Amino acid sequence: MRYFSIPSLALSLIVSILLCTNLLAQDVKVTRRIMTEDEYNSFRNTAGFYEHGKNYNLKINGHGTGLRPPTEEQWKQIKEMPVVADKMEFTMTETPIAVDNSETPWFPAIGNQGAEGSCTCWATTYYTKTFQEAKEHGWDLSADTIFSPDFVYHLINGGKDNGSWYWNAIDLMADIGAASWTNMPYKSYDSTTWPSETAWREAPAYRNEHYFFIDLTTDEGIIDLKNFIGSPNLAIIGVNANKYELLSSEDLWTSDIYTTTSTNHTNTIVGYDDDFGPYIEGGITKYGAFKVANSWGIGGWENIDDGFYWISYECLKTRIEKAHCYLNIQNYNPEMIAVFEISHDMRGECNTNVGMGPASSPIAEKQFDMYIDGGRVPFADNKMVMDVTELAPYLEPGCWYNGFLSVYDGLTKTTGTINHFSVETYDDYFSGIPTDTYESCDTPLDTVKRKTVYTEAEVYID
């Protein structure tokens, strides 16, 4: 993985259109649609609603869990987004008998989340993001090329060790990116600290597509999941971690022994085997199961000490019902980033946007905290970075534009200060050297309670 030296990078703000929803240079193409009313109601009723004040990090024999349902407001957002995999097209012409992505050089070692409620970020970031980026770049995995669960978890957990949900984690990486374990080491005892500037700067290079799910309640859905895993990719599922004690001697869940649809923990599907078995399910001898990675380390929770277990096809159809997924963006090179620093004791009270054009009527704008939930704790005392490349298509080359950072400060009497704002443009982001840097000259600028303040910088679009 390539890193950026802080002194050599200035800051750049640009705006570009949303990254396309059909992926390029992949072995799978996913066409998505919005949920029907029946699908939405079923999904919402099964997953549940976030209850304020409830701790979703249920500890089981000292292991953390942390699968937290969406808030009412988040459900409203999800309802309007194309999250259903409506059509999946694969380059492979035949579904393999078996696939095991955990045996590839791109899959990281089985990890251990400890007592922290970061299971969702282990599945979405440590396993899936690492696998996707290692596959794209041909990395031989080491600590330098493993992605940090804490980079994502600390940005979306509201400043508390209270769990998170798939959509938040995946779309945070789609919007912001992800950083390596080296630049954001995992600490199960710390759920609050935000990333360093080095980690923020690394993240834009590793963005992905937005969240979608595969409906597994049909045979077609199971086949789609097999082909998705064989593409190759990983998929994310919600399970009830209280049921690990019911695993068979072969570490298998069937629909006979795993009889719940309630969830509290997130795991990662890494493969499948049509010849797994034989086993008895519903009084019938069967074969076939999906292989799943947990994030509780090796041994102590399973019967075969390898960090994995198996779920029968019927159990996946009738109990798990959905596979939560995303795909990587191939060969992505950020062209513009916004760099800013804010001092505020209640970072969750600051609604922060970056835009181009007049602040009162921007040409294009991107919300920094679309998926971020900072909570009632202070910002870190370092600069933050947001990729704003998707704003660029709205701007004409050869022109100057007003780039701005807006901060709306709400709720309590606490106010803060915008210490820095700048925009950096790049030809080659991985070089760490911006082509140009445009810095605001009106900082430091204090925030105002229940009002929006703006700091601005003139940006030239080459």
Side-chain angles (χ1 to χ4, degrees):
M1 191 170 289
R2 291 150 284 195
Y3 305 109
F4 313 111
S5 75
I6 297 304
S8 69
L9 284 181
L11 106 68
S12 160
L13 165 66
I14 198 172
V15 253
S16 238
I17 57 175
L18 292 175
L19 299 164
C20 68
T21 56
N22 286 332
L23 309 183
L24 302 177
Q26 299 279 358
D27 294 323
V28 54
K29 180 180 178 182
V30 182
T31 302
R32 310 186 236 186
R33 61 171 173 83
I34 295 172
M35 286 182 282
T36 66
E37 192 68 26
D38 286 345
E39 287 172 330
Y40 171 70
N41 290 332
S42 175
F43 193 8
R44 186 180 62 174
N45 292 337
T46 300
F49 297 85
Y50 173 69
E51 299 176 29
H52 289 279
K54 180 177 179 178
N55 187 352
Y56 288 88
N57 182 17
L58 173 68
K59 306 291 199 308
I60 301 176
N61 297 324
H63 299 291
T65 55
L67 179 54
R68 186 182 82 182
T71 65
E72 181 66 43
E73 185 58 36
Q74 288 168 344
W75 273 121
K76 291 178 182 177
Q77 291 177 277
I78 296 168
K79 185 178 183 180
E80 303 301 321
M81 295 180 173
V83 297
V84 183
D86 189 45
K87 182 180 180 181
M88 304 186 74
E89 301 173 66
F90 304 93
T91 57
M92 66 179 69
T93 58
E94 187 174 321
T95 303
I97 296 297
V99 172
D100 189 349
N101 289 323
S102 69
E103 295 295 328
T104 69
W106 314 309
F107 188 79
I110 288 292
N112 192 338
Q113 70 186 82
E116 189 175 45
S118 54
C119 63
T120 299
C121 297
W122 276 85
T124 59
T125 309
Y126 177 81
Y127 288 127
T128 305
K129 170 58 76 173
T130 298
F131 178 85
Q132 289 187 352
E133 295 291 352
K135 181 181 71 169
E136 178 188 351
H137 298 287
W139 290 333
D140 181 11
L141 290 182
S142 67
D144 289 345
T145 52
I146 292 171
F147 284 86
S148 170
D150 269 354
F151 178 83
V152 175
Y153 187 53
H154 291 197
L155 293 177
I156 64 176
N157 67 8
K160 297 179 181 178
D161 185 16
N162 197 17
S164 58
W165 206 59
Y166 332 99
W167 172 72
N168 305 72
I170 292 169
D171 280 13
L172 182 282
M173 292 188 293
D175 231 27
I176 301 295
S180 65
W181 190 294
T182 296
N183 287 332
M184 183 77 176
Y186 183 76
K187 299 175 182 178
S188 62
Y189 56 84
D190 176 9
S191 303
T192 302
T193 302
W194 268 18
S196 66
E197 183 178 350
T198 304
W200 280 111
R201 286 186 173 275
E202 182 182 32
Y206 303 107
R207 294 173 67 182
N208 49 254
E209 284 286 333
H210 287 274
Y211 164 89
F212 67 91
F213 69 80
I214 303 172
D215 181 356
L216 304 178
T217 60
T218 65
D219 290 339
E220 292 78 12
I222 295 296
I223 293 171
D224 277 344
L225 178 59
K226 286 182 179 181
N227 287 325
F228 184 75
I229 295 298
S231 295
N233 266 294
L234 308 182
I236 298 135
I237 57 172
V239 302
N240 190 317
N242 291 299
K243 306 303 181 181
Y244 289 136
E245 62 184 22
L246 301 179
L247 285 166
S248 72
S249 58
E250 294 80 24
D251 277 344
L252 172 69
W253 273 337
T254 67
S255 59
D256 294 340
I257 61 176
Y258 186 91
T259 58
T260 183
T261 58
S262 66
T263 57
N264 55 30
H265 190 46
T266 307
N267 284 167
T268 311
I269 295 179
V270 302
Y272 68 89
D273 186 350
D274 287 343
D275 290 331
F276 183 92
Y279 57 86
I280 304 299
E281 185 174 42
I284 302 171
T285 300
K286 292 186 177 182
Y287 292 84
F290 283 93
K291 186 177 182 180
V292 185
N294 192 8
S295 52
W296 283 4
I298 295 176
W301 61 272
E302 53 190 339
N303 296 310
I304 301 171
D305 292 347
D306 61 1
F308 301 95
Y309 65 99
W310 296 80
I311 300 179
S312 74
Y313 299 155
E314 184 65 22
C315 186
L316 209 67
K317 285 173 62 177
T318 59
R319 309 290 189 250
I320 306 301
E321 298 183 350
K322 288 180 175 60
H324 309 274
C325 309
Y326 67 93
L327 284 168
N328 194 26
I329 298 172
Q330 301 288 319
N331 305 313
Y332 183 63
N333 179 51
E335 298 174 6
M336 256 191 313
I337 62 170
V339 183
F340 49 95
E341 182 179 347
I342 302 173
S343 298
H344 199 293
D345 287 340
M346 299 285 186
R347 64 193 183 200
E349 294 188 4
C350 296
N351 296 329
T352 305
N353 290 357
V354 172
M356 287 289 177
S360 58
S361 56
I363 298 169
E365 195 170 12
K366 181 174 179 180
Q367 184 179 343
F368 171 67
D369 40 21
M370 175 71 177
Y371 304 103
I372 290 174
D373 184 357
R376 298 171 65 83
V377 290
F379 283 102
D381 58 353
N382 56 256
K383 294 182 177 69
M384 297 168 282
V385 171
M386 181 171 69
D387 183 15
V388 290
T389 301
E390 57 263 45
L391 303 180
Y394 294 101
L395 310 176
E396 292 290 334
C399 296
W400 286 89
Y401 288 91
N402 179 61
F404 66 85
L405 177 78
S406 68
V407 178
Y408 174 83
D409 197 344
L411 299 178
T412 69
K413 295 180 180 180
T414 304
T415 58
T417 303
I418 303 171
N419 299 311
H420 176 88
F421 170 62
S422 60
V423 173
E424 298 168 0
T425 58
Y426 289 85
D427 289 330
D428 177 9
Y429 192 72
F430 291 101
S431 72
I433 302 173
T435 54
D436 289 290
T437 298
Y438 307 94
E439 186 168 343
S440 169
C441 59
D442 57 3
T443 56
L445 178 67
D446 291 337
T447 65
V448 179
K449 187 51 52 185
R450 291 185 176 83
K451 290 186 178 181
T452 302
V453 298
Y454 301 88
T455 177
E456 301 172 323
E458 291 299 307
V459 178
Y460 183 75
I461 303 303
D462 199 355

